[in-house]
Amino acid sequence: MKFFLDTANLDQIREAQSLGVIDGVTTNPSLMAKEGIKGEASILKHYIDICNIVDGDVSAEVISTDYEGMIREGEKLAALHPQIVVKIPVIKDGIKAIKYLSSKGIRTNCTLVFTAGQALLAAKAGATYVSPFVGRLDDISHDGMELIGQIVDMFNYYEMGTQVLAASIRSTLHIIKCIEMGADVATCPLEPILGLLKHPLTDSGLKKFLEDYHKVNG
Ligand code: E4P
């Protein structure tokens, strides 16, 4: 399973990249705003900065909601850097825009997916990734992880090439469940990924190894 970092924070991206286990980055307008990135020129420059830090796909989201606007923005974003994947919301014009962009060889990530039906439409339009939001479903007492399983099964059954990018992943347990469900990618902040390292037997085992070494080596 691939890991994308779900942030627009350059320091966090640098730290994750230095670990050597990050396969890309996802951003959204809220994450960009959180970092204080505003104005078209700064936003576009920020995407290039991210691409220059990380190896792999970098999702950059359109803010238009009409077909022409999404196409215009999508082509501009894709021209920024070969690593850019254009992130498009799963609305009617968004599906049309995904179809158009994919016909031009521009890769897309269909975002704000909350049902298998939405994922099916995005995949039929040629999306490279679909992003079902696990945490936001959990927030309203729906099992977000169940949706990941449904979409993975559907894409496997119909042999669809679209990748399942589990988004709104907020905990280490979410990551483990994504592995069990067969998600292609999980996107989350760095903290839940670092949580995978935690085990008390690792800590106590390492402590004992070092104590034994120092007993005989001083
Ligand atoms: C997906 O790409 C989104 O950027 C993100 O995962 C949303 O996460 P949140 O629900 O924690 O805001």
Side-chain angles (χ1 to χ4, degrees):
M1 188 175 75
K2 287 185 276 187
F3 278 127
F4 289 174
L5 208 63
D6 197 30
T7 183
N9 183 285
L10 297 184
D11 288 338
Q12 193 175 133
I13 295 169
R14 277 189 205 97
E15 188 184 346
Q17 175 66 16
S18 73
L19 265 180
V21 296
I22 296 301
D23 305 288
V25 168
T26 51
T27 63
N28 63 39
S30 304
L31 292 171
M32 296 290 275
K34 191 174 161 197
E35 299 306 317
I37 317 298
K38 57 181 178 188
E40 193 190 15
S42 304
I43 290 172
L44 297 181
K45 181 185 174 302
H46 202 75
Y47 290 138
I48 295 172
D49 289 345
I50 294 173
C51 290
N52 287 335
I53 296 170
V54 77
D55 299 321
D57 292 346
V58 173
S59 286
E61 188 160 341
V62 299
I63 47 156
S64 302
T65 53
D66 63 298
Y67 174 71
E68 285 79 15
M70 284 191 257
I71 295 300
R72 199 169 44 247
E73 268 191 76
E75 289 182 327
K76 195 169 195 174
L77 289 169
L80 280 180
H81 197 284
Q83 285 167 240
I84 293 284
V85 175
V86 180
K87 203 170 177 187
I88 306 235
V90 65
I91 55 177
K92 194 172 164 191
D93 279 24
I95 294 297
K96 284 167 65 180
I98 289 168
K99 181 77 185 171
Y100 174 84
L101 293 170
S102 67
S103 77
K104 298 284 169 200
I106 293 175
R107 294 174 308 136
T108 55
N109 171 1
C110 187
T111 191
L112 289 167
V113 168
F114 292 96
T115 68
Q118 291 175 324
L120 177 64
L121 290 177
K124 285 178 76 75
T128 313
Y129 299 100
V130 292
S131 288
F133 278 37
V134 173
R136 292 191 194 188
L137 279 170
D138 288 358
D139 287 345
I140 58 159
S141 310
H142 282 255
D143 185 351
M145 213 47 78
E146 194 179 311
L147 175 63
I148 299 295
Q150 270 180 355
I151 299 174
V152 167
D153 289 349
M154 175 173 69
F155 287 177
N156 285 342
Y157 185 82
Y158 292 111
E159 299 181 350
M160 296 178 117
T162 300
Q163 296 182 56
V164 180
L165 196 175
S168 190
I169 295 299
R170 302 187 185 147
S171 68
T172 305
L173 188 57
H174 269 162
I175 296 175
I176 300 296
K177 293 282 177 194
C178 281
I179 298 167
E180 289 172 6
M181 291 294 170
D184 298 287
V185 191
T187 189
C188 61
L190 184 55
E191 209 47 42
I193 297 172
L194 294 178
L196 292 168
L197 287 169
K198 290 182 188 162
H199 200 285
L201 291 179
T202 303
D203 297 340
S204 59
L206 181 59
K207 186 166 176 279
K208 180 81 169 72
F209 285 157
L210 294 178
E211 279 169 3
D212 290 344
Y213 172 86
H214 287 299
K215 260 182 221 159
V216 294
N217 291 280

